[in-house]
Amino acid sequence: MTKTSTKLLGKSLSELTTWVETQGQPSYRGKQLYEWLYQKGARSLSEISVFPKQWREQVQDTSIGRSIIHHRSIAPDQTRKYLLALEDGLIVETVGIPTSKRLTVCVSTQVGCAMKCDFCATGKGGFKRNLKAYEIIDQVLTVQNDFNRRVSHVVFMGMGEPLLNLKEVLVALRSINQDIGIGGRALTVSSVGIVGKIRELAEQRLQLTFALSLHAPNQELRERLIPTAVRNPLEQLLTESKDYVNLTGRRVTFEYVLLAGVNDLPAHAQELAQLVRGFQSHINLIPYNPIREASYQRPDQQRIQDFVDVLTAKQVAFSVRYSRGLAANAACGQLRASEARN
Ligand code: SAH
C-alpha cells in the first residue's frame, strides 16, 4: 500500500472499524484507532502503542493524513500562524486564535484562491488546488496539539473559497463536528457567495453559521471590489441566504470590510441597513487589514464611528471586529500561498 492510497482522517468510527476488520483485526481496534486519531492526535499508526507491534509494522505505510509544520509564527497577541507542508510539497496556512475562553482555528479550504477580491492577499497569489477533507481536518488537530488545548471553534475563513470545494468541506465539517467533537454552533463557513451553492449548504440543515462576504451595499460597488460578483448577483445571494435562515433556523452573518472612502460613507451604511432590513442576520464590520498588493486604507476611528452610528440608529445588529494576528500577517485577508515566510 502506498502512502497516498488511504488516508484515515475523515473516516467515521464505523468506517474505521470496517477498515481494521479488512486488515484482519478485531473490531474493537476501530474504537482504539478512532480515539488515537481524533482525541490523542496520533500522527502515524506506528505510534499507536495499544496496537500489536507486528500489525503496526504491516500497516506503517498507511497514512493518517497529517501535515508537517513548515513554519510557525506567534504574534504579540498570541495568535499563531502555521505554514503547513502538504504531501505534494504545497504550503497552506492555518491560524490559531486563543482567548481566555476560546481557541479558534481559522482553516483554509484551498491552496490559494481563484476569487481575486481586490483587497485580499490570498487572491493576489492565484489558485493552486482544492484541499482534501483530511487536509482540512489536519489543520484543526495541528492547532489543538500545538496549543495543547482543546479547540472550541472552527471558522472556514482561511485561504480559499469553501463553497467551491463544498464536497470536501462537507466531509471535513462532519468529522470536525462528530469525530473531533466541536459543536455545530461553534463552526462558521464564510463565502464570497456562489449562486446555487449557498442553497446546497442550506439543504444540509447543519447548525453551523453561514457568513456571506458582502462588503458593499449594492451590486455596482460590489462588482468593483469582487470580480466574481458579476456572475453572482447580490439579489440572488441574498435570496439564498434567506433560504439558509429558513432551512436551518440560524441567522446569517454578513461580513463587511471597511475600506476608507470606498464603502465606509454614512450613505453606504444607510443602504446597508436598508438591504438587511427584516433579515435575521448580524453584520461583522472588519476594518481593513493592509496588504502590500493593494492601496486601500483602513478608515480612522471617526469614520468607523459615523458608519456605526447610522447602523445603530437603524437598529441593525452588528459588531466591529478587529482581526487578531495583524503583526504576524495572520489576520483576515493576509494569508498568502506563495510565501514560505514573512
Ligand atoms: N473566501 C471566503 C473566506 C476567506 S476570507 C470569503 O470570501 O468569505 C475571510 C474574510 O476576510 C472574508 O470576509 C474576506 O473578505 C475578509 N478579508 C479579505 N481580505 C481582507 C483584508 N485585507 N482585511 C480585512 N478582511 C479581509
Side-chain angles (χ1 to χ4, degrees), residues 63-298:
S63 168
I64 284 176
R66 298 299 307 268
S67 66
I68 292 164
I69 298 180
H70 174 75
H71 187 253
R72 184 187 77 171
S73 44
I74 305 183
D77 67 7
Q78 297 307 312
T79 295
R80 298 185 189 178
K81 182 170 86 166
Y82 306 84
L83 304 180
L84 304 179
L86 306 174
E87 209 169 43
D88 58 2
L90 290 179
I91 299 281
V92 76
E93 298 200 0
T94 209
V95 182
I97 309 156
T99 64
S100 59
K101 294 204 183 75
R102 293 180 173 202
L103 175 56
T104 301
V105 183
C106 177
V107 296
S108 295
T109 55
Q110 299 181 315
V111 185
C113 187
M115 301 296 94
K116 297 204 180 310
C117 300
D118 201 37
F119 45 82
C120 177
T122 307
K124 305 284 180 190
F127 173 73
K128 301 275 181 358
R129 70 165 170 88
N130 279 333
L131 290 182
K132 292 289 188 189
Y134 74 85
E135 292 170 319
I136 300 172
I137 300 161
D138 163 73
Q139 297 174 50
V140 179
L141 293 173
T142 295
V143 174
Q144 186 154 281
N145 293 356
D146 190 56
F147 275 85
N148 196 19
R149 179 178 163 192
R150 282 195 70 80
V151 167
S152 62
H153 292 74
V154 179
V155 296
F156 286 62
M157 294 188 182
M159 298 166 85
E161 171 44 50
L163 295 191
L164 290 180
N165 188 16
L166 188 53
K167 188 166 153 269
E168 297 294 322
V169 164
L170 289 175
V171 174
L173 282 167
R174 187 213 60 76
S175 182
I176 290 168
N177 176 223
Q178 291 173 29
D179 306 332
I180 300 182
I182 299 170
R185 288 170 179 243
L187 305 175
T188 299
V189 171
S190 173
S191 170
V192 71
I194 309 291
V195 164
K197 294 286 177 184
I198 302 172
R199 185 170 290 124
E200 205 178 320
L201 180 67
E203 282 164 356
Q204 310 296 318
R205 291 184 161 79
L206 302 172
Q207 277 305 290
L208 55 88
T209 299
F210 174 66
L212 178 67
S213 290
L214 195 60
H215 305 327
N218 60 63
Q219 176 67 13
E220 191 207 335
L221 178 55
R222 201 165 184 271
E223 285 183 13
R224 275 172 33 209
L225 303 173
I226 303 171
T228 59
V230 177
R231 52 180 194 275
N232 293 284
L234 186 52
E235 205 182 287
Q236 185 75 27
L237 300 180
L238 292 176
T239 302
E240 292 192 28
S241 298
K242 278 218 171 85
D243 294 343
Y244 192 90
V245 174
N246 292 334
L247 286 169
T248 65
R250 305 274 295 152
R251 75 179 183 185
V252 163
T253 297
F254 294 118
E255 290 157 291
Y256 195 102
V257 174
L258 288 169
L259 306 164
V262 177
N263 67 355
D264 70 334
L265 304 177
H268 294 124
Q270 297 274 3
E271 209 179 346
L272 180 60
Q274 188 64 29
L275 196 69
V276 303
R277 230 172 67 163
F279 207 122
Q280 225 178 302
S281 62
H282 188 92
I283 298 174
N284 280 341
L285 300 172
I286 315 169
Y288 169 68
N289 300 313
I291 60 166
R292 61 172 174 270
E293 297 91 337
S295 53
Y296 295 108
Q297 303 289 324
R298 174 184 281 199

Side-chain angles (χ1 to χ4, degrees), residues 29-96:
R29 299 236 179 266
K31 186 80 197 295
Q32 290 177 326
L33 179 54
Y34 186 73
E35 275 163 12
W36 279 75
L37 289 192
Y38 296 114
Q39 304 309 321
K40 295 190 202 280
R43 304 182 57 81
S44 74
L45 289 179
S46 58
E47 67 185 66
I48 306 184
S49 54
V50 291
F51 286 171
K53 196 154 182 286
Q54 198 195 348
W55 184 49
R56 274 192 272 162
E57 276 162 16
Q58 267 171 30
V59 292
Q60 64 182 357
D61 283 343
T62 301
S63 168
I64 284 176
R66 298 299 307 268
S67 66
I68 292 164
I69 298 180
H70 174 75
H71 187 253
R72 184 187 77 171
S73 44
I74 305 183
D77 67 7
Q78 297 307 312
T79 295
R80 298 185 189 178
K81 182 170 86 166
Y82 306 84
L83 304 180
L84 304 179
L86 306 174
E87 209 169 43
D88 58 2
L90 290 179
I91 299 281
V92 76
E93 298 200 0
T94 209
V95 182

